[in-house]
Amino acid sequence: MYINQFFTEKKPVVSFEIFPPKQTSAFDTIITTTKELAALKPDFISITYGAGGSTRSNTLEVAEYIKKEHNIETLAHLTCIANTPADIGLILDDLQARGIKNILAMRGDLPQDAQAPTVPVYARHLIEQIKKRNAFCIAAAAYPEGHTECASIAQDITYLGQKVQAGAEILITQIFFDNTLLYNFQEKIAKENIQAYLSAGIMPVFSKSQIERICSLCGASIPKKLQNILEKYSEKQTELEKAGLEFACEQISDLCQNKVQGLHIYTMNKPHLAQALVKNTGLR
Ligand code: FAD
């Protein structure tokens, strides 16, 4: 099933994001994780794709496994920066052979040891290639605070519009910790007449060092309220996790009141966090 259908039927559409095991030998761990996540009945589960293709086959395997074992739709992430169009063609063949119908198409980031492509590559190019197959529902990444490499949010939104024009029907946002950022972003994309379903990316915070590292990489800002929580519980793991969950639940409740179309929970492969979020907010 194409996941765009959920957005016409449900409000909000609830999805979980997981990352595949780095080694196929660690596949057992993902079996337990997906079983626990599947019990929460998300509308779909997305599976990340490691930079440089390091976990490429595991992304496809996990996506196929979840679909077959749990009868839950999957969204396979795919990046193009380190893949030639011919490589992508083979991956698309593989996805089709495995019955996977939904792709989150991104440029990705250049692996440390890789050479930059001679001609700049963007997600739009990947979307155009996928669209030609007429076999997939395509999602793209969106950045409420702008992408780190872009000179301005306005410019970034212009490029976002190009991704939608090329065939992306769903936009999934990067993490944000202040809902005003999302509401402002929604207004801006509406003004540009960018027509796509929007799913808000929510990450429950459970480690100070981890969230600071993620935010410094992806450019998401940490508001004062969350910073205070991080400082207060920096040495108290259990309390930090509890406070991080409460913070994310408040974010979700407010987003639901404001009729967000989708909630995409970055589970960090920790089903108990996803469970607390969907149960405590009445999503499931
Ligand atoms: P693009 O949309 O191509 O944009 C990249 C940059 O180029 C932006 O600054 C944009 O403004 C600019 N740009 C776009 N078009 C043009 C143009 N024509 N001329 C000049 N500049 C232009 N990464 C992974 O490796 N694996 C994953 O599984 C993964 N999952 C993700 C899931 C979500 C929901 C999100 C939000 C991000 C994810 N990422 C993942 C990270 C993503 O790959 C990086 O943010 C990457 O740097 C950008 O990818 P993109 O598809 O947004 O790029």
Side-chain angles (χ1 to χ4, degrees):
M1 175 180 173
Y2 296 122
I3 58 169
N4 55 358
Q5 245 176 280
F6 291 126
F7 288 86
T8 62
E9 294 163 2
K10 299 187 180 186
K11 282 184 189 65
V13 174
V14 176
S15 52
F16 295 152
E17 178 171 313
I18 60 169
F19 49 84
K22 281 209 174 78
Q23 268 123 29
T24 308
S25 57
F27 208 82
D28 283 359
T29 57
I30 208 75
I31 290 179
T32 317
T33 305
T34 55
K35 191 174 172 200
E36 291 176 30
L37 289 174
L40 301 170
K41 303 204 180 310
D43 294 308
F44 65 89
I45 294 179
S46 87
I47 305 96
T48 64
Y49 181 93
S54 55
T55 59
R56 167 187 141 178
S57 60
N58 287 337
T59 299
L60 272 56
E61 278 171 22
V62 173
E64 183 184 19
Y65 169 79
I66 293 171
K67 208 168 141 71
K68 289 200 170 138
E69 181 68 21
H70 299 296
N71 198 24
I72 290 179
E73 265 316 320
T74 49
L75 170 67
H77 297 206
L78 180 58
T79 63
C80 61
I81 198 159
N83 283 314
T84 63
D87 296 333
I88 296 288
L90 294 175
I91 297 170
L92 297 180
D93 289 344
D94 198 353
L95 283 160
Q96 279 185 268
R98 292 173 191 265
I100 297 157
K101 297 200 169 299
N102 307 286
I103 301 177
L104 175 53
M106 289 164 294
R107 184 201 66 178
D109 296 309
L110 204 61
Q112 269 177 351
D113 52 351
Q115 287 241 315
T118 43
V119 180
V121 171
Y122 298 108
R124 174 171 55 91
H125 300 121
L126 176 61
I127 294 168
E128 284 165 354
Q129 186 177 357
I130 299 171
K131 183 72 184 166
K132 281 191 193 136
R133 293 255 173 160
N134 205 17
F136 297 101
C137 170
I138 307 169
Y143 304 86
E145 298 179 72
H147 184 261
T148 45
E149 289 164 36
C150 202
S152 69
I153 295 195
Q155 189 65 71
D156 206 32
I157 288 177
T158 302
Y159 297 136
L160 185 67
Q162 292 177 357
K163 296 201 273 194
V164 172
Q165 278 217 314
E169 293 178 72
I170 299 162
L171 301 174
I172 303 185
T173 79
Q174 180 168 273
I175 52 168
F176 58 91
F177 297 104
D178 176 353
N179 289 356
T180 317
L181 292 166
L182 187 89
Y183 303 141
N184 290 342
F185 182 67
Q186 275 178 317
E187 263 179 39
K188 284 178 190 143
I189 61 177
K191 248 189 201 157
E192 295 305 313
N193 203 22
I194 295 174
Q195 304 217 356
Y197 300 113
L198 186 70
S199 192
I202 297 292
M203 183 181 283
V205 170
F206 60 92
S207 152
K208 182 172 185 286
S209 57
Q210 188 195 38
I211 202 65
E212 286 176 346
R213 189 176 50 81
I214 292 173
C215 289
S216 78
L217 286 174
C218 76
S221 60
I222 300 180
K224 185 110 189 53
K225 187 177 169 191
L226 182 58
Q227 192 62 51
N228 289 344
I229 292 173
L230 295 176
E231 301 299 339
K232 186 170 175 190
Y233 301 117
S234 61
E235 304 295 325
K236 296 176 181 159
Q237 182 54 43
T238 315
E239 284 90 339
L240 177 58
E241 186 174 304
K242 189 165 170 274
L245 279 170
E246 274 169 22
F247 187 93
C249 284
E250 278 175 27
Q251 255 196 297
I252 290 175
S253 299
D254 179 71
L255 289 165
C256 290
Q257 273 175 21
N258 284 281
K259 310 227 175 314
V260 73
Q261 291 171 307
L263 285 160
H264 185 70
I265 297 172
Y266 292 91
T267 72
M268 312 301 289
N269 288 20
K270 294 186 184 296
H272 74 282
L273 296 180
Q275 182 179 33
L277 290 186
V278 296
K279 297 281 181 212
N280 296 348
T281 53
L283 283 171
R284 289 293 185 269

